[in-house]
Amino acid sequence: MSTNNNTKMYNIFMDLNFNGNRIAELRNDAHMSQRQLAKEIGTSQANLSRWEQGIIIPSILECWRLAEYFGVSIDYLCGKSDI
């Protein structure tokens, strides 16, 4: 992938305004620990913590797993919609 394409991809992710707090809200509403949710979606507790803190952004596959698990849209997870 060229540098120009990498820049475009970075900008797409930045436009998403990913909000890790939505993951924490969904997890807390389900009365789950980070460790429990991480196991359910196939990641580590450390990764989940970093997503919730906004340190890193989950991949599209990880977003899909979260959305499927909680029955919400990826747009909701990424801050593009409120439903």
Side-chain angles (χ1 to χ4, degrees):
M1 189 177 267
S2 72
T3 302
N4 191 29
N5 285 341
N6 286 337
T7 301
K8 285 180 186 176
M9 191 60 104
Y10 176 80
N11 289 334
I12 288 169
F13 278 111
M14 292 304 99
D15 286 345
L16 290 177
N17 190 26
F18 186 83
N19 187 345
N21 289 332
R22 291 212 169 150
I23 297 171
E25 289 170 7
L26 290 165
R27 181 179 57 77
N28 288 327
D29 288 348
H31 306 288
M32 298 180 81
S33 69
Q34 286 181 342
R35 187 174 309 278
Q36 289 170 317
L37 178 56
K39 184 177 179 181
E40 289 292 323
I41 63 166
T43 193
S44 68
Q45 182 272 326
N47 269 345
L48 190 58
S49 176
R50 290 181 194 114
W51 298 341
E52 289 183 1
Q53 294 175 60
I55 295 170
I56 61 173
I57 298 172
S59 72
I60 191 66
L61 178 59
E62 292 161 334
C63 285
W64 177 80
R65 287 180 181 153
L66 286 164
E68 285 286 311
Y69 185 83
F70 287 114
V72 299
S73 68
I74 291 176
D75 283 348
Y76 177 80
L77 286 175
C78 297
K80 288 288 191 183
S81 78
D82 289 331
I83 55 172

